[in-house]
Amino acid sequence: MWKDILTLFRGGGLVQEAFEESLQMLETSHGMFTDAVAALHKEGALVDDIYKRDRTLNKFERQVRRKIVTHLSVSSTPDVNMGLVITAIVIDIERIGDYAKNISELAVGLEEPFDAMELDMEVRHLERLVDGNFADLLVALEESDEDRARRILKQHKEVSETVEKHLKALREGTALAGDSGRATTTALYLRYLKRMSAHLKNVATSVVNPYHRIGYREKKRKS
């Protein structure tokens, strides 16, 4: 299905503009994530600029919606399914920007670089997984690469399970015991990473699923 939609996206006019702006949104949200994580680790990123880019994301989302509505209104052969898909995608991408902003807010509240102590290595691994999924998703959307899309789905499962394992340890006091401030920050950060991964996964499902299953696991075709 995505290959057919991709052909429409590359057909010029408002539809192509909307698709290209959606890809720009994804690239912008990736930069926001990278800089928010850098700010959390006190590596020199500018938090104020992250807020500015979040406003840019919001503007792009409105533009994409407007262009899709205009296309559906004036085209002699409008593709409603395509309009629904691209609208769903930009909603998820905009939410990724919100979570990047949340991470930057954690960074502002810390005087020292973030350190999850005994959980730090695994938290850093989760950061790398989420970061890699941005690049994979861009290629998956641009090239209708179902293998990359499925890899994102698989890695989201790893992110989700790892986050829930660590949240359970934090709740039970078996991780970061006696350090409530660090435990709270770590729990929030883990939750933000999971939610960002979930929104990336949702977008990736559009490459392998029809519209009504976007955000859900891929339904295997009967042989």
Side-chain angles (χ1 to χ4, degrees):
M1 184 197 75
W2 184 257
K3 289 182 180 179
D4 295 333
I5 292 177
L6 195 56
T7 300
L8 292 172
F9 286 153
R10 290 173 173 164
L14 291 175
V15 172
Q16 182 169 338
E17 290 178 17
F19 179 58
E20 290 174 350
E21 287 177 354
S22 300
L23 297 181
Q24 289 179 52
M25 286 180 68
L26 183 59
E27 292 175 335
T28 298
S29 66
H30 187 190
M32 290 171 67
F33 169 72
T34 300
D35 287 349
V37 171
L40 191 67
H41 296 299
K42 304 304 180 188
E43 294 172 357
L46 298 176
V47 172
D48 288 345
D49 187 54
I50 292 173
Y51 278 81
K52 181 179 178 180
R53 281 177 282 173
D54 183 61
R55 291 191 293 273
T56 299
L57 275 186
N58 295 338
K59 180 180 178 181
F60 269 133
E61 183 185 17
R62 293 192 298 270
Q63 290 178 177
V64 168
R65 288 179 174 183
R66 186 181 305 114
K67 287 174 180 177
I68 292 300
V69 168
T70 302
H71 164 76
L72 295 175
S73 301
V74 304
S75 174
S76 58
T77 56
D79 189 302
V80 176
N81 185 65
M82 175 277 301
L84 292 172
V85 169
I86 196 70
T87 302
I89 286 173
V90 296
I91 290 172
D92 276 298
I93 297 175
E94 190 276 332
R95 290 296 293 142
I96 292 169
D98 289 339
Y99 285 109
K101 190 168 62 175
N102 290 152
I103 294 171
S104 72
E105 289 165 353
L106 282 181
V108 170
L110 295 178
E111 294 183 2
E112 301 295 329
F114 172 75
D115 184 358
M117 303 300 286
E118 66 263 34
L119 301 182
D120 203 60
M121 286 186 63
E122 289 202 59
V123 171
R124 296 275 190 162
H125 176 61
L126 294 175
E127 290 173 352
R128 290 191 293 272
L129 285 180
V130 174
D131 184 68
N133 283 345
F134 277 100
D136 276 345
L137 183 55
L138 190 63
V139 175
L141 293 175
E142 289 182 315
E143 301 179 9
S144 191
D145 191 326
E146 294 186 358
D147 289 337
R148 286 181 189 263
R150 292 187 180 103
R151 182 162 65 195
I152 294 167
L153 271 58
K154 182 179 179 181
Q155 290 185 340
H156 170 65
K157 186 173 185 240
E158 178 183 350
V159 170
S160 179
E161 290 175 350
T162 302
V163 167
E164 290 307 316
K165 177 184 71 174
H166 292 328
L167 289 177
K168 183 174 184 291
L170 290 167
R171 287 194 304 269
E172 295 176 348
T174 57
L176 302 179
D179 193 339
S180 60
R182 194 186 304 272
T184 300
T185 301
T186 302
L188 287 169
Y189 186 37
L190 286 169
R191 180 62 67 184
Y192 297 154
L193 289 173
K194 179 181 175 181
R195 293 311 306 155
M196 294 182 85
S197 175
H199 287 294
L200 290 167
K201 179 265 298 181
N202 287 349
V203 178
T205 61
S206 67
V207 178
V208 295
N209 281 341
Y211 170 73
H212 67 280
R213 290 195 64 83
I214 289 179
Y216 294 92
R217 69 179 61 183
E218 181 182 8
K219 188 173 183 179
K220 299 300 181 182
R221 299 179 180 88
K222 294 182 180 179
S223 57

